Amino acid sequence: IRVYPYTGDTNYNLAVSAAPLAPVDLAGNTLATARAITVGSSTTSYTDWVGSTDTNDYYRFTLANSGNFNLGLTGMTADADVQLLNSSGSVIASSVRTGTASESITSQLSAGTYYIRVYPYTGDTNYNLAVSATTATVTPGYSAISGYGLVNAAKAVAGALNQTPFADVPTFGGANDWGVNLVNAPEAWARGYTGQGVVVAVLDTGVDRNHADLAGNIWTNAGEIANDGLDNDGNGYVDDVYGWNFANGNNNTLDGNRHGTHVAGTIAAANNGFGATGVAYNSRIMPVKVLSDSGSGSYSGVAQGIRYAVDNGADVINMSLGGGSTDSAVQSALQYASSRGVIVVMAAGNAGAAQPGYPASSATSWGLAVGAVDSSNQMASFSNRAGSNSSMRYVTAPGVQVYSTLPNGGYGFLSGTSMAAPHVAGVVALMLSANPNLTDAQVRQIITATAGNVA
């Protein structure tokens, strides 16, 4: 402020004040009033704010075709989060990083209407919302429902050896063995490939290592001396003879749930004439407990579990688990596994959604996503579908009323993509018993190229 005389000398009073302008709120605060935006192949940006007096910003967009959707939320001075919702307002994906870290969502979407919700976690903040979507290409043999189709061990193991598909063999076992028969595992067994020499880490609720059908196929840490209170092999974990419990921070990897033991049996239950028989019945199971006995866990524990499995000799990792949002630590661990030649097999999820949940959605880059079918090879209603992005390495496997091992010597039937994933992990173990030099990329290519919708 400058005050100056025009003529003469004078006293004066100067009074000043300032009131902040209210932020301009362009986004709607409910689904019904959502701001209509355009999402196309070029990135479009929108600026707004959220805070204590504006707790929801909604945006609405429509895709005319299936596409690969990308969202970025940046420029925050306080913690804000973002969700992607379907036309009925149910959350498809979310990003909830802490502090002022940028948020991002990547998803394969079918044609239709969707919503974006931006909301504050703490404080008031401006933000920049950037969105884009590219039309998904159609790949022969790929279905937005079942991906590349039913996994086929007879063709996949032959493909690992660069041989023609193995000849059919008689049906194995009885009615409860329909799963191994549907994926054509006995054809690989007949050629001598049973998972020998392959370690499969089961990241789950633990494993009943004393079960009669599993005890002979449990991995043990040869560098560790049991119960001496020392970290003999220097891997950072004390007395991890039977793996590690990342849910509780100790070496107890027994299963107080049943989920992990059931998964383990589908992979490696012994071919001993009773109970269940695993797809790779001579492979070994590395128990890595990342879920508590109640079935809950953390992304931090999952990420640590992946790295533990890789660093301690696993060849395959089965993850019959899922969460509601992406996680940078898990993404980094998946990339680490791939770089070390370890194949991660992930359950697609049981929400009946149009695309896999997380972390199976990462199978566009690493590992495999697995959906569930029944004994007639019909897609299970609960199974998340493959989505429109054919770079999603998605196959299907038995996941309805699957018979396998349960804790305390038991057996039983469970359903879910959690049951489908270990069938595929078992097939990968058969492939690696035939050709241990296969990379993650090679396994992904062979599995999908030999699946039911393609070959």
Side-chain angles (χ1 to χ4, degrees):
I1 299 169
R2 175 191 175 211
V3 180
Y4 60 99
Y6 183 70
T7 59
D9 300 333
T10 181
N11 294 318
Y12 62 83
N13 296 316
L14 174 67
V16 294
S17 65
L21 292 173
V24 177
D25 184 22
L26 299 175
N29 302 131
T30 66
L31 286 176
T33 61
R35 179 182 180 183
I37 62 173
T38 300
V39 177
S41 56
S42 299
T43 300
T44 308
S45 296
Y46 303 90
T47 300
D48 214 303
W49 75 284
V50 288
S52 58
T53 60
D54 182 16
T55 56
N56 289 293
D57 275 2
Y58 285 97
Y59 299 84
R60 183 184 71 254
F61 66 93
T62 300
L63 297 180
N65 302 295
S66 297
N68 305 317
F69 173 79
N70 293 284
L71 174 155
L73 191 72
T74 60
M76 283 87 73
T77 56
D79 193 350
D81 298 319
V82 63
Q83 295 174 332
L84 176 65
L85 303 91
N86 63 18
S87 58
S88 61
S90 297
V91 176
I92 298 172
S94 61
S95 181
V96 289
R97 293 175 182 168
T98 59
T100 59
S102 298
E103 309 285 352
S104 64
I105 292 175
T106 300
S107 186
Q108 291 76 49
L109 301 180
S110 303
T113 297
Y114 298 89
Y115 295 90
I116 298 165
R117 177 192 174 212
V118 181
Y119 59 99
Y121 183 74
T122 58
D124 301 339
T125 181
N126 295 316
Y127 63 82
N128 298 314
L129 175 68
V131 290
S132 65
T134 55
T135 302
T137 57
V138 177
T139 299
Y142 181 84
S143 161
I145 303 298
S146 57
Y148 290 93
L150 181 66
V151 69
N152 188 327
K155 294 181 178 180
V157 178
L161 296 165
N162 200 26
Q163 296 179 2
T164 57
F166 299 154
D168 292 342
V169 300
T171 299
F172 172 81
N176 290 339
D177 297 300
W178 67 271
V180 295
N181 289 306
L182 192 63
V183 302
N184 291 330
E187 280 73 5
W189 302 344
R191 295 297 190 98
Y193 305 113
T194 58
Q196 64 273 24
V198 179
V199 176
V200 183
V202 173
L203 271 63
D204 216 291
T205 60
V207 176
D208 179 6
R209 62 176 179 266
N210 302 309
H211 195 293
D213 240 352
L214 294 173
N217 286 338
I218 298 296
W219 168 90
T220 56
N221 185 351
E224 199 72 17
I225 299 172
N227 302 318
D228 69 349
L230 300 174
D231 178 15
N232 304 107
D233 61 356
N235 70 350
Y237 302 95
V238 174
D239 290 337
D240 59 322
V241 176
Y242 299 104
W244 193 256
N245 181 336
F246 290 95
N248 303 107
N250 58 45
N251 68 346
N252 180 8
T253 57
L254 290 171
D255 181 12
N257 182 286
R258 63 177 181 167
H259 193 272
T261 299
H262 196 278
V263 166
T266 296
I267 298 167
N271 183 4
N272 50 18
F274 67 85
T277 302
V279 173
Y281 58 76
N282 276 330
S283 64
R284 289 185 295 154
I285 296 295
M286 176 191 291
V288 182
K289 185 162 180 164
V290 298
L291 302 177
S292 68
D293 288 343
S294 66
S296 62
S298 68
Y299 279 147
S300 173
V302 171
Q304 292 176 76
I306 294 170
R307 291 181 179 273
Y308 177 91
V310 173
D311 292 342
N312 288 278
D315 303 293
V316 188
I317 296 173
N318 188 93
M319 296 205 304
S320 291
L321 49 81
S325 61
T326 59
D327 180 80
S328 58
V330 173
Q331 292 295 97
S332 177
L334 291 172
Q335 186 174 14
Y336 177 66
S338 177
S339 72
R340 295 284 296 272
V342 178
I343 295 85
V344 183
V345 181
M346 299 165 282
N350 303 327
Q355 57 278 313
Y358 187 76
S361 57
S362 301
T364 52
S365 301
W366 312 290
L368 296 159
V370 186
V373 297
D374 62 18
S375 59
S376 300
N377 193 25
Q378 297 300 303
M379 201 76 186
S381 60
F382 57 76
S383 179
N384 288 354
R385 275 42 177 172
S388 58
N389 184 357
S390 60
S391 64
M392 175 64 66
R393 298 304 182 188
Y394 179 110
V395 292
T396 59
V400 179
Q401 289 296 293
V402 173
Y403 187 75
S404 187
T405 49
L406 294 176
N408 302 314
Y411 298 89
F413 297 92
L414 292 178
S415 297
T417 58
S418 285
M419 285 61 252
H423 282 87
V424 176
V427 172
V428 174
L430 297 179
M431 294 171 65
L432 293 177
S433 68
N435 182 355
N437 298 316
L438 292 173
T439 66
D440 177 37
Q442 289 172 326
V443 169
R444 297 170 77 229
Q445 190 278 327
I446 295 168
I447 285 280
T448 53
T450 57
N453 292 347
V454 182

